Amino acid sequence: MSSGTQLPAGQPSGDDAVLSAGARIAAQWRDLGAEQLGVALRAMEPQLRREHRERMLGLELQREAEQRQHEDRQRERADRRRTVELVTGAVIALAMLGGGLYVAPTNGWLSALLCGPSLLALVKVFVLRRSDPADMQAVSLAGRLASNAATQAQQPTQPQQQPPTVL
C-alpha cells in the first residue's frame, strides 16, 4: 500500500478502494484514545451523511435519466412501427384499388371484391389499428355476393327456343 502500512494476513490488498481507504484511516487513528476517536467519528458523521445524500441523489438522477432514455427509445420504436404500418396499409390499399380497376372491364365480381368492403376493412386495420366484427361481416357478405354474381355470369344461358318457322 502507498501509506507504508501492512494489512493483516487474509485482508484484501489495495485493489479495493473502499477497504484500502478504511485501512489508511484506521492506521492514522490507531494511536488515538477511545474518547478522541469518538469525537472524531461524530465530527465526520455530518460529512458522511452529506456524501451519502449526494451519492443517493446522483443515483436517483442517473436512474431517472435512464428511464427517460428508455421511454424515448420506446416512443421512437412506436413511431417507426406506426409509420411502417401506415405505409404498408397505403401500399396494400393502392394495390387493391389498382388491381380492382385493372380487372373491372373483364371481371366485375373480382373488381367488387378488391375495391369493396375488403379494401375498406384492410385500410381500417392498418390506419386505425382496429377491426370490428361488422367489418368482417361486410367483407364476408361482399365475397358471397361477388361469388354468386360470378357464378351466375359464368353459367351459360340457355338459348331461347325460337318458334318454328312456317314455310
Side-chain angles (χ1 to χ4, degrees):
M1 292 179 48
S2 60
S3 64
T5 59
Q6 295 295 324
L7 292 175
Q11 293 293 324
S13 64
D15 294 341
D16 190 348
V18 173
L19 291 177
S20 62
R24 280 195 303 274
I25 291 171
Q28 292 171 354
W29 290 8
R30 72 176 167 220
D31 296 331
L32 295 177
E35 185 177 312
Q36 293 170 329
L37 186 57
V39 169
L41 289 175
R42 281 192 296 279
M44 284 181 58
E45 187 175 354
Q47 175 64 26
L48 292 174
R49 286 181 191 258
R50 278 191 300 274
E51 289 174 0
H52 177 71
R53 277 193 303 266
E54 288 173 3
R55 216 172 300 121
M56 291 293 115
L57 181 60
L59 290 173
E60 180 65 22
L61 291 174
Q62 180 182 359
R63 187 193 63 77
E64 288 174 3
E66 289 172 357
Q67 180 68 26
R68 278 192 304 272
Q69 288 175 349
H70 176 71
E71 290 169 358
D72 290 343
R73 283 192 305 270
Q74 293 293 93
R75 245 187 321 277
E76 287 173 9
R77 281 189 211 127
D79 289 344
R80 196 174 315 124
R81 184 177 53 246
R82 182 80 172 133
T83 302
V84 167
E85 288 172 354
L86 285 174
V87 169
T88 303
V91 167
I92 289 173
L94 289 174
M96 287 178 71
L97 190 59
L101 293 175
Y102 180 75
V103 299
T106 57
N107 295 318
W109 64 273
L110 182 57
S111 178
L113 260 172
L114 290 173
C115 295
S118 58
L119 172 67
L120 296 175
L122 278 173
V123 169
K124 187 174 182 181
V125 166
F126 281 104
V127 174
L128 299 179
R129 301 175 92 188
R130 66 173 206 187
S131 176
D132 299 326
D135 296 336
M136 293 300 109
Q137 289 171 349
V139 170
S140 176
L141 178 64
R144 279 193 304 260
L145 291 175
S147 296
N148 290 342
T151 305
Q152 289 174 358
Q154 290 176 353
Q155 290 178 352
T157 57
Q158 295 180 359
Q160 294 179 345
Q161 293 182 358
Q162 296 183 2
T165 54
V166 178
L167 296 173

